Amino acid sequence: MKLMTGNSNLPLARAIADYLEIPLTDALVRRFADEEIFVEINENVRGEDVFVLQSTSYPANDNLMELLICIDALRRASARRITAVVPYFGYARQDRKSGSRTPISAKLVANLITGAGANRVLSVDLHAGQIQGFFDIPTDNLFAAPVMSVDILARHSARNMMVVSPDVGGVVRARALAKRLNNAPLAIVDKRRERAGESEVMNIIGDVEGRFCILIDDIVDSAGTLCNAAAALKEAGAAGVVAYVTHGVLSGGAIARVEGSVLEELVITDSIGNHDTIAQAGRVRHLTIAPLIAEAIRRIADETSVSSLFD
């Protein structure tokens, strides 16, 4: 087994390599003067089981091209099996036609990864579970809920907890986390999105009076939805609100928005390599998923069950 990485999230790649007690594959991933990407693998990978770690986060197109070129280089170097480990799968929110004459970009990206030569894909908390069906190769979708539940129980078990989904689409995810938190009660924020990037909270389904609310979501981008949901929960009588989100995209003024909100804390995983930016934020904290991904990689390499990680 070999572990190779692009440039999108080197700290996570090193943490996974340390957990597996293997070195990162010696490879050069650089750019020419005109920003063309060049990959050179400096060790033998013939007949090897190679895992390529690369989140397709900002800059999404550059990181996606790095992943595709790394896969192509490994295929031409006669690697036995290539697994694309994509902790954050970019373009996942474009998983259906949102209107007339619009693309399904998540399917296009799936085709690109498959066409480049990947034999299987490993990701974490895909925006929609059906994206697994966009691939014609085996695809494993890991869940960050076990990591989050351990952290929540360690920090907030003494409080009167309630798990809250910030929209109707995240109810399944919220229910799975609530089950891990000793069957905590569940509430839903009903919102209406007037235009892209903006959200308006309309109603809260469930009694949050006096409860410590835990908002759970897969992606936080502008943070508008989370901050509006947190404000609505406080207005409804919630004792406190924290948010746990798998992928911290945090674009534009998202961090400033979180800092100025009623959220006590925003906890994100390290699926996206924005560590320096997050380190300057007072209310944003990282939670590592390196052991989760590393254990899944080990099980794929050993041909044992990955789903048993979540039993």
Side-chain angles (χ1 to χ4, degrees), residues 270-292:
D270 53 355
S271 64
I272 295 175
N274 50 8
H275 305 268
D276 294 337
T277 305
I278 303 306
Q280 302 170 11
R283 295 194 197 177
V284 185
R285 177 166 60 90
H286 261 137
L287 199 61
T288 186
I289 52 172
L292 174 69

Side-chain angles (χ1 to χ4, degrees), residues 27 60 64 94 112 140 174 176 207:
L64 176 60
Q94 299 183 47
L112 289 170
D140 292 298
D207 183 12

Side-chain angles (χ1 to χ4, degrees), residues 279-311:
Q280 302 170 11
R283 295 194 197 177
V284 185
R285 177 166 60 90
H286 261 137
L287 199 61
T288 186
I289 52 172
L292 174 69
I293 297 175
E295 191 57 40
I297 288 173
R298 190 198 305 278
R299 293 182 182 210
I300 291 171
D302 293 342
E303 303 289 352
T304 56
S305 172
V306 173
S307 60
S308 61
L309 275 170
F310 308 103
D311 293 340

Side-chain angles (χ1 to χ4, degrees), residues 233-263:
L233 290 168
K234 287 290 286 185
E235 289 173 8
V241 185
V242 297
Y244 280 75
V245 183
T246 305
H247 308 297
V249 177
L250 297 175
S251 59
I255 292 179
R257 199 169 287 116
V258 170
E259 296 288 328
S261 73
V262 299
L263 278 172

